[in-house]
Amino acid sequence: IDVNEAALEHYGYRREQLGLQSDQLKEERTARTQAGARAKDALTKLAAANAAAASMKLRQMASGIVYTDAGAKPIHSAKVDALLDLLEEQQGQPLLVATGFRSEVAHLQRVLHDAGYGDVPALMGGVSDGYADRVIMLWNTGHLPVLLCHPTTVAHGLNLQAGGHSVCWFSM
């Protein structure tokens, strides 16, 4: 997404570029090369599907948690560490964290719980209306320091602005 950062300066926009350890970079480069080769070979077959799968795998790697046959596997903590730093900088102000993968939600809930943020709820597809209503009420009344969500779940018809004004796009 091309963002006019100067226009967002008034709103406190900030972009952070996180570095990975050399072994993590090597793993990412290998995956990128393999994905590129597979995508190239697939051009005559199902190029769009393979390119989308490769893109999705690279997004997972960038977020630090990848899906494998054995389940979700954390591969680095750079983004999680940056999120914890951001929460500390918030000095108690609530933070809405947008995430794109269910594996991230479960991992972030464990990490945030261990860091002292309690049971962090998530508004994702498939939650009941009653659950969502309770979470929104808790958020809007200032009882939640962190709320995880999928952007499409909170995109329309929800009023979350009473709960806070800071948003972190974790894996977008």
Side-chain angles (χ1 to χ4, degrees), residues 20 26 62-63 108 119 153 168:
L20 299 176
K26 183 179 177 185
S63 76
L108 287 173
D119 293 330
T153 303
C168 171

Side-chain angles (χ1 to χ4, degrees), residues 100-132:
F101 303 108
R102 286 192 182 277
S103 61
E104 285 177 340
V105 170
H107 182 69
L108 287 173
Q109 286 173 319
R110 282 190 301 276
V111 168
L112 292 169
H113 184 273
D114 292 348
Y117 291 96
D119 293 330
V120 177
L123 292 177
M124 306 292 283
V127 301
S128 71
D129 290 342
Y131 174 81

Side-chain angles (χ1 to χ4, degrees), residues 42-83:
L43 282 175
T44 58
K45 299 176 187 171
L46 299 172
N50 287 328
S55 173
M56 191 62 66
K57 185 58 71 178
L58 291 171
R59 281 185 57 209
Q60 290 173 15
M61 291 178 77
S63 76
I65 304 161
V66 295
Y67 287 106
T68 66
D69 292 338
K73 172 189 166 194
I75 60 169
H76 68 79
S77 65
K79 285 186 108 170
V80 171
D81 294 343
L83 176 62

Side-chain angles (χ1 to χ4, degrees), residues 6-26:
L8 293 175
E9 231 172 74
H10 169 74
Y11 298 100
Y13 172 82
R14 113 180 171 199
R15 177 183 294 191
E16 284 196 36
Q17 195 163 0
L18 304 173
L20 299 176
Q21 304 296 328
S22 61
D23 58 330
Q24 295 163 341
L25 285 172
K26 183 179 177 185

